[in-house]
Amino acid sequence: KAFASLFTKIRDKTTPPGEFVHYAKRIMHLLAEDALAELPTSPLTITTPCGPFVGTQSSSSSNDNNELCAVSIIRAGDSLLEVMRNIIPDVPVGKILIQRDESSSEKEAKLYYSKMPP
């Protein structure tokens, strides 16, 4: 539901530029959080002021083992990269450049550049 109403806002030709940016950022945050929610988790027991609580921990809460890597698609993905860095500040970043092969009848994607962190 959240995506549907936000997409409606950004597709409306009467939406002012400032509101468009606001709604687009909300979409990117939801997208990033939904993607991170798909990562594996493990149980974690913590102590709260009311007693013990069994919750979960995932690798999206920190990146101590460098198990995550954000990959930015050059000329398209840097705005989403900013959102990922807000969520996981120390995430390593890779870059790729993909373009359609206009000379092909199928117009398949062609990888022109790729640089990933070690």
Side-chain angles (χ1 to χ4, degrees):
K1 285 185 176 182
F3 282 110
S5 63
L6 293 170
F7 281 134
T8 301
K9 290 286 191 180
I10 67 170
R11 289 180 174 150
D12 185 345
K13 71 179 185 177
T14 65
T15 300
E19 286 183 30
F20 178 91
V21 170
H22 169 75
Y23 294 124
K25 284 184 179 179
R26 285 186 56 198
I27 290 169
M28 288 184 279
H29 274 278
L30 286 170
L31 180 63
E33 292 289 358
D34 279 356
L36 292 171
E38 295 297 320
L39 294 173
T41 61
S42 57
L44 175 67
T45 302
I46 61 168
T47 303
T48 74
C50 299
F53 172 78
V54 179
T56 63
Q57 64 182 357
S58 74
S59 55
S60 66
S61 59
S62 74
N63 199 25
D64 295 334
N65 298 327
N66 285 327
E67 294 177 351
L68 292 177
C69 171
V71 178
S72 175
I73 301 171
I74 296 172
R75 295 194 300 199
D78 282 341
S79 53
L80 188 53
L81 177 61
E82 178 185 338
V83 171
M84 285 299 294
R85 283 216 161 128
N86 285 337
I87 298 168
I88 308 172
D90 62 341
V91 69
V93 176
K95 298 275 187 178
I96 61 173
L97 174 59
I98 299 175
Q99 291 182 333
R100 243 189 344 234
D101 184 356
E102 295 294 340
S103 64
S104 163
S105 61
E106 297 297 317
K107 309 282 189 221
E108 60 267 342
K110 189 172 180 182
L111 179 66
Y112 285 93
Y113 176 80
S114 174
K115 179 153 181 157
M116 297 298 144

